[in-house]
């Protein structure tokens, strides 16, 4: 094998590695609402040829940071619109920049509560908090500094987290729907759910309309954010990414991407019947 041939082969290997998609398995994630929202955004990005994988831990860390510094309740549970609020304020970071993550959410919450009881100074509190929250390479971020901006290179382009979010979220917008027997159809209302701590509003439609909206959205190539639970209350969130034909007389089943890692279900996915969707749905977020 000639030297020139070896050099050409090495160049080709390098170029192919640059285009290699990042691993999609981020393991079991504590904040299903963050995972489901990021999965939906990644799905939208793939429709235009972008295979970016987003860090769920970045948004979760910013949420816990806010709660700690603002004296709010320390809790990991929340709803989909909260993920979009965090993105608009703190941006997004690629998964490849994660250097640590949350292993046990309940233990972390106890540690943060204890830390806040022991430390009053915000600068000291933030410094100690950084040792507990997920860390990221290259990104130098300090929320106590005015206009603080971390930055990183991604595929030869330099971004701040907000610039990266603008690039990924280009023309992506979500509308939120839920059901209330006390409101008129099409009327906006604050969803009465313990996880909706910031009082986000949803548009009132029937569960059948939500199902029809899911089917039409998925057929159009969009993923749908879905929260569900017993008695139509929020217990878990997944991203609806596909449809599966059911038996005669039944509606299409939905294919969902869960936040339990690729070893769960069928490579991280499961199939849910239309009947289950209609009887357990709390709310949905649809990309427009």
């Amino acid at each position: 094998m000639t030297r020139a041939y070896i050099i050409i082969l090495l160049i080709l290997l390098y170029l192919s590695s640059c285009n290699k998609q990042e691993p999609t398995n981020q393991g079991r994630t504590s904040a299903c609402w963050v995972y489901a929202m990021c999965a939906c955004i990644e799905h939208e990005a793939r429709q235009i040829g972008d295979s970016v994988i987003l860090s769920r831990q970045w948004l979760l860390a910013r949420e816990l940071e806010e709660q700690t510094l603002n004296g709010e309740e320390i809790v990991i549970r929340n709803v989909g619109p909260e993920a979009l609020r965090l993105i608009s304020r703190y941006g997004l970071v690629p998964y490849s920049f994660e250097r640590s993550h949350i292993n046990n959410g309940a233990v972390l919450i106890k540690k943060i509560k204890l830390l806040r009881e022991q430390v009053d100074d915000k600068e000291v509190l933030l410094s100690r908090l950084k040792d507990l929250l997920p860390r990221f390479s290259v990104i130098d971020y300090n929320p106590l500094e005015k206009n603080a901006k971390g930055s990183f290179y991604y595929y030869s382009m330099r971004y701040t987290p907000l610039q990266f979010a603008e690039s990924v979220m280009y023309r992506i917008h979500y509308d939120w729907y839920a059901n209330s027997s006390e409101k008129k159809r099409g009327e906006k209302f604050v969803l009465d759910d313990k996880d909706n701590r910031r009082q986000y509003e949803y548009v009132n439609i029937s569960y059948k309309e939500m199902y029809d909206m899911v089917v039409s959205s998925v057929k159009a190539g969009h993923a749908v954010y879905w929260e569900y639970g017993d008695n139509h209350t929020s217990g878990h969130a997944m991203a609806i990414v596909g449809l599966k034909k059911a038996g005669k007389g039944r509606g299409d089943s939905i294919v969902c991407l869960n936040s339990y890692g690729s070893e769960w279900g069928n490579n991280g996915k499961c199939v849910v019947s239309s009947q289950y969707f209609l009887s357990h749905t709390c709310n949905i977020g649809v990309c427009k």
Side-chain angles (χ1 to χ4, degrees):
M1 187 179 293
T2 65
R3 182 179 179 182
Y5 182 81
I6 293 174
I7 293 174
I8 292 172
L9 181 61
L10 290 173
I11 291 173
L12 290 174
L13 288 172
Y14 172 77
L15 291 175
S16 65
S17 68
C18 290
N19 294 320
K20 186 177 180 181
Q21 185 174 346
E22 297 172 80
T24 57
N25 178 22
Q26 298 192 39
R28 190 181 182 97
T29 305
S30 301
C32 57
W33 53 282
V34 172
Y35 187 99
M37 195 71 255
C38 286
C40 288
I41 294 169
E42 290 166 353
H43 185 92
E44 297 303 319
R46 281 195 294 273
Q47 304 311 303
I48 58 173
D50 190 350
S51 61
V52 64
I53 305 300
L54 303 172
S55 169
R56 283 74 167 145
Q57 299 293 325
W58 170 260
L59 296 178
L60 184 53
R62 303 288 75 80
E63 173 85 345
L64 293 173
E65 200 171 59
E66 273 192 1
Q67 294 171 1
T68 304
L69 297 176
N70 296 336
E72 301 171 1
E73 179 186 6
I74 308 297
V75 60
I76 287 180
R77 292 183 60 88
N78 220 302
V79 292
E82 175 70 357
L84 293 180
R85 183 192 71 83
L86 292 168
I87 291 171
S88 67
R89 182 166 184 176
Y90 300 108
L92 289 166
V93 169
Y95 170 64
S96 57
F97 285 86
E98 284 187 14
R99 290 299 173 266
S100 69
H101 60 275
I102 297 172
N103 292 316
N104 188 313
V107 172
L108 176 62
I109 288 175
K110 289 181 180 179
K111 288 182 178 180
I112 293 176
K113 288 180 177 179
L114 182 61
L115 175 63
R116 195 163 62 178
E117 291 174 2
Q118 296 174 340
V119 180
D120 294 327
D121 185 88
K122 276 197 172 184
E123 289 282 0
V124 177
L125 179 60
L126 178 61
S127 177
R128 298 271 297 277
L129 185 62
K130 281 185 175 181
D131 294 332
L132 299 177
L133 295 180
R135 292 184 292 277
F136 304 84
S137 64
V138 182
I139 305 164
D140 182 18
Y141 180 81
N142 184 351
L144 295 182
E145 293 180 4
K146 189 176 182 180
N147 299 322
K149 294 181 180 180
S151 62
F152 54 89
Y153 280 98
Y154 188 72
Y155 289 121
S156 301
M157 295 289 289
R158 188 176 183 86
Y159 297 95
T160 66
L162 281 172
Q163 289 170 341
F164 187 68
E166 289 174 2
S167 174
V168 173
M169 298 289 292
Y170 179 66
R171 291 187 177 178
I172 294 179
H173 170 78
Y174 281 85
D175 291 333
W176 298 91
Y177 301 90
N179 178 262
S180 172
S181 59
E182 299 176 355
K183 303 294 180 181
K184 295 180 180 178
R185 184 194 175 281
E187 183 179 353
K188 284 189 174 182
F189 70 100
V190 175
L191 182 66
D192 183 18
D193 190 281
K194 64 181 184 300
D195 291 334
N196 188 21
R197 279 174 287 278
R198 293 191 185 274
Q199 302 291 286
Y200 290 108
E201 289 188 328
Y202 294 72
V203 177
N204 183 36
I205 61 175
S206 70
Y207 297 115
K208 178 61 167 59
E209 287 177 295
M210 282 188 240
Y211 172 77
D212 291 339
M213 194 173 290
V214 166
V215 172
S216 61
S217 293
V218 173
K219 286 183 176 179
H222 301 294
V224 177
Y225 177 96
W226 178 42
E227 287 185 15
Y228 65 96
D230 294 335
N231 300 317
H232 297 289
T233 58
S234 178
H236 191 52
M238 294 193 290
I240 302 174
V241 295
L243 299 172
K244 183 176 180 180
K245 283 291 181 183
K248 190 174 181 180
R250 300 179 184 177
D252 291 338
S253 297
I254 58 176
V255 179
C256 303
L257 180 61
N258 206 349
S259 57
Y260 294 164
S262 61
E263 67 279 1
W264 180 89
N266 182 6
N267 196 31
K269 296 185 179 70
C270 64
V271 177
V272 177
S273 70
S274 58
Q275 291 86 349
Y276 187 91
F277 179 93
L278 292 170
S279 60
H280 288 78
T281 290
C282 175
N283 65 82
I284 60 172
V286 179
C287 184
K288 296 293 185 180

